[in-house]
Amino acid sequence: MWLNKLEEKFGRYAIPNLPMIIVAMYAVGYVLRLMIPGIGSLLTLNPFLILHGQVWRIVTFLLMGPDSSLIFIIFVLLFYYSLASSLEQVWGSFRFNMYYFIGVFGTILGAFLTYAVLYFAYGEITAASVSMDTFYLNMTLFLAYAMMFPDMRVYFYMIFPIRVKWLAVLDGIYLAYVFLTSGFTAAGISVKVSIVVALLNFLLFFFSMKRIRSRGAAFARNTVNRRRKKEFKTKTVPRSGRKKNGAMHECAVCHRTELDDPTLEFRYCSKCDGDYEYCQDHLFTHKHVKK
């Protein structure tokens, strides 16, 4: 699989705990807009203004998260971090990095292509209205979460349990509705392109991670708590022996130990021939060792 080949070459460059960084950027963006009214108009992804010198927009649009009341923002960011970190734990840091950054690159590319088409078709005035953000990328991230954990439950208003797969259906209906009703103005076309780019990114990963999806459900049913982690460490010391620098666990792929990162989880693979131990980033993505 192409993701496996890329991870073998570039996996060491993955940014760990990317969900926390993304949520922190949205929080910074919200505080800036709260403290400096109107600054949001200086942060958006607008190809016309980027080509006219405001190059910072190609990065600062990543700060443009939800815009609502403080309580709602806190709820949304916590929810977003929860589902994104769950995906990172199952996919591994590299695959989550790829999903997010391919989506971001696709959004930037889609914005400039939309600008170019409108410029040559209608002129600079219409094309100047093209503007995009990561809103629809985040919505398809929820679709990816539902793909991995369809039977997980969230509590609507902290009371009513709803399975994630039904929320994903509503998510899909909403995206279809927005796509069909957004019109054909420059702003409307920008919305359509944003939705298409985000869905293409989702489908790319959906069809590329069939094996991981099948294991995601099992992972969801076996969420590891601290008690089981301590039991695991105790039980595996005789089996694994001591690793480098006196560590008890070492990933057979990236060779990280609990001394490198105390938050890492380690498991043995039942399909590998031998006692091969893997960290949470490579448990579901490594190549099985066969003698």
Side-chain angles (χ1 to χ4, degrees):
M1 186 172 65
W2 63 279
L3 281 172
N4 287 339
K5 294 179 180 179
L6 285 176
E7 185 171 15
E8 289 177 1
K9 292 183 178 180
F10 307 108
R12 62 183 179 276
Y13 301 115
I15 302 173
N17 206 12
L18 181 60
M20 177 63 75
I21 297 174
I22 297 171
V23 168
M25 288 193 301
Y26 287 154
V28 169
Y30 179 78
V31 171
L32 286 175
R33 283 177 288 166
L34 196 64
M35 297 178 62
I36 310 174
I39 194 174
S41 62
L42 297 175
L43 305 177
T44 57
L45 177 64
N46 187 308
F48 172 80
L49 295 175
I50 291 173
L51 293 174
H52 285 76
Q54 298 183 17
V55 293
W56 64 82
R57 291 173 178 270
I58 207 165
V59 175
T60 57
F61 84 99
L62 298 176
L63 300 175
M64 299 298 291
D67 187 11
S68 186
S69 66
L70 178 60
I71 298 300
F72 181 76
I73 290 298
I74 293 174
F75 171 78
V76 169
L77 292 185
L78 288 176
F79 180 70
Y80 180 79
Y81 174 73
S82 176
L83 67 89
S85 59
S86 295
L87 286 175
E88 184 186 43
Q89 193 171 13
V90 175
W91 289 354
S93 294
F94 179 78
R95 281 170 171 75
F96 184 82
N97 276 226
M98 289 290 291
Y99 186 95
Y100 183 75
F101 288 121
I102 288 177
V104 168
F105 177 77
T107 300
I108 296 172
L109 181 62
F112 277 91
L113 288 177
T114 303
Y115 171 82
V117 171
L118 291 177
Y119 177 83
F120 288 109
Y122 302 107
E124 189 173 65
I125 295 177
T126 299
S129 300
V130 175
S131 182
M132 295 185 186
D133 55 31
T134 58
F135 176 75
Y136 297 106
L137 173 61
N138 292 339
M139 293 200 71
T140 58
L141 193 67
F142 180 77
L143 292 179
Y145 180 83
M147 172 190 76
M148 299 300 302
F149 311 107
D151 295 319
M152 291 288 285
R153 296 181 179 181
V154 296
Y155 288 86
F156 188 64
Y157 286 112
M158 306 297 178
I159 300 175
F160 306 105
I162 304 177
R163 292 187 186 276
V164 167
K165 60 184 177 183
W166 301 122
L167 291 177
V169 172
L170 294 177
D171 192 3
I173 293 173
Y174 173 77
L175 289 174
Y177 172 78
V178 173
F179 182 86
L180 294 173
T181 60
S182 55
F184 290 93
T185 62
I189 294 174
S190 298
V191 169
K192 293 180 188 295
V193 172
S194 295
I195 293 174
V196 170
V197 167
L199 287 175
L200 287 177
N201 186 45
F202 165 73
L203 292 174
L204 174 66
F205 278 75
F206 180 86
F207 290 109
S208 298
M209 294 194 290
K210 181 178 180 181
R211 180 168 62 91
I212 298 179
R213 292 203 310 273
S214 64
R215 296 184 179 186
F219 182 87
R221 292 192 297 267
N222 295 281
T223 303
V224 182
N225 55 35
R226 291 185 178 181
R227 179 182 57 82
R228 291 189 62 189
K229 182 179 178 180
K230 292 179 65 176
E231 292 176 355
F232 173 78
K233 286 184 177 181
T234 302
K235 292 178 181 179
T236 54
V237 172
R239 183 182 180 188
S240 60
R242 291 286 174 176
K243 310 295 183 181
K244 65 177 184 180
N245 299 325
M248 292 187 293
H249 309 290
E250 180 180 353
C251 177
V253 176
C254 64
H255 301 292
R256 288 183 296 174
T257 71
E258 76 275 10
L259 300 180
D260 298 313
D261 185 351
T263 65
L264 286 176
E265 301 281 351
F266 295 87
R267 293 290 182 271
Y268 285 97
C269 178
S270 60
K271 294 187 178 181
C272 288
D273 294 338
D275 294 342
Y276 289 92
E277 192 175 19
Y278 301 94
C279 69
Q280 62 204 34
D281 289 350
H282 298 106
L283 178 60
F284 299 132
T285 60
H286 66 273
K287 290 183 178 180
H288 297 301
V289 178
K290 299 297 181 182
K291 295 181 179 179

